[in-house]
Amino acid sequence: MRPKLVVGNWKLNTRRDEAQALAQALAAGWSGSAQVRLVVCPPAVHIPVVAAALEGSRVALGAQNLAEQPEGAFTGEIAGEMLADYGCGFVIVGHSERRALFGETNAVVASKMLRALDSGLTPIVCIGETLAEREAGQVEAVIGAQLDALVAAATAGLAGIVLAYEPIWAIGTGQTASPAQAQAVHAFIRGRLSAANPAWADVPVLYGGSVKADNAASLFAEQDIDGALVGGASLAADDFLAIGQQALQA
Ligand code: PEP
């Protein structure tokens, strides 16, 4: 059985004290397990405070984004190596908000995925369709193109990455994909990856989109759902820990 990963994306939320308190509550409340890894991705500026609060705990640290470049004249950017220096092991890449609001194309996402791998970080690469694309019957075409861009770029392979299937219409809307809807896309993703290279059959595929403590169990019960990328419900320690517990029981 593939281990599960439950990742919290705090987005542009939490002031310093709130980030510290949230991380302390997670560190105290999660005893860890080889079967389930809990990861939090705070705003970049809070990474040192959160890293200190998580020290000695079984909760891992990630970032929400990284630069496409390793260094140089790129004002405001943060390189993967810098994130690794501060204790990050993971980084979210190509979240739909970055694709839609900051112009990240499939090519940029693929290039950031490679940068993350080169920096020693595990990229959590987000893919997903809009509601209009779903209604037009284009889910597999859209997801397929997003995957193809990753496959084409990854000359050294995709074995070290995590994917997150996040239907855009389900993010922050309270409208979760049904377990069957999510499973159908996860199975498509796994099939496409294994066809490209049998060694990629076990790439973890997380589901994201309004995951809460009360719907996580039914999603985690699906055979190709390897955990969750959680936005809103990761901002309350009890809610996020409850999702972690559902993963433990799956
Ligand atoms: C996300 O930010 O990736 C996300 C899935 O958010 P939410 O859980 O709030 O829908």
Side-chain angles (χ1 to χ4, degrees):
M1 222 173 83
R2 291 179 298 275
K4 289 200 163 31
L5 197 60
V6 177
V7 182
N9 174 12
W10 297 0
K11 306 194 188 188
L12 185 56
N13 295 300
T14 67
R15 300 291 297 270
R16 178 192 164 107
D17 288 352
E18 293 166 331
Q20 186 175 38
L22 180 51
Q24 283 168 342
L26 295 174
W30 184 249
S31 47
S33 137
Q35 272 314 103
V36 180
R37 284 199 85 183
L38 221 58
V39 181
V40 291
C41 302
V45 71
H46 296 327
I47 283 173
V49 163
V50 171
L54 296 180
E55 201 163 337
S57 81
R58 304 284 296 271
V59 182
L61 182 60
Q64 299 176 16
N65 182 32
L66 81 168
E68 217 183 325
Q69 303 81 11
E71 62 183 351
F74 302 101
T75 302
E77 292 292 291
I78 300 176
E81 287 83 351
M82 298 170 184
L83 298 171
D85 280 350
Y86 282 85
C88 290
F90 296 83
V91 61
I92 299 170
V93 174
H95 190 280
S96 61
E97 288 152 14
R98 296 217 55 88
R99 291 177 186 259
L101 304 173
F102 300 96
E104 293 194 4
T105 60
N106 281 345
V108 169
V109 172
S111 145
K112 288 192 171 192
M113 172 188 74
L114 295 183
R115 276 270 56 248
L117 290 167
D118 280 353
S119 315
L121 301 172
T122 299
I124 301 166
V125 186
C126 302
I127 55 179
E129 81 286 356
T130 63
L131 186 58
E133 289 163 343
R134 174 164 281 267
E135 287 175 349
Q138 293 171 344
V139 176
E140 294 192 354
V142 170
I143 304 287
Q146 292 171 337
L147 286 175
D148 288 350
L150 303 180
V151 170
T155 44
L158 291 177
I161 76 162
V162 172
L163 285 170
Y165 167 57
E166 298 209 301
I168 294 165
W169 47 271
I171 298 179
T173 59
Q175 197 188 337
T176 322
S178 71
Q181 277 175 322
Q183 167 58 27
V185 180
H186 281 236
F188 168 76
I189 293 169
R190 200 170 303 288
R192 185 98 168 198
L193 287 182
S194 345
N197 185 333
W200 303 342
D202 281 333
V203 166
V205 187
L206 315 183
Y207 168 79
S210 298
V211 175
K212 313 271 179 236
D214 63 4
N215 60 22
S218 58
L219 289 159
F220 295 156
E222 297 293 339
Q223 72 171 31
D224 289 304
I225 298 184
D226 301 322
L229 179 53
V230 185
S234 70
L235 292 169
D238 287 351
D239 292 347
F240 192 56
L241 289 167
I243 295 170
Q245 289 299 333
Q246 301 291 343
L248 276 179
Q249 285 156 27

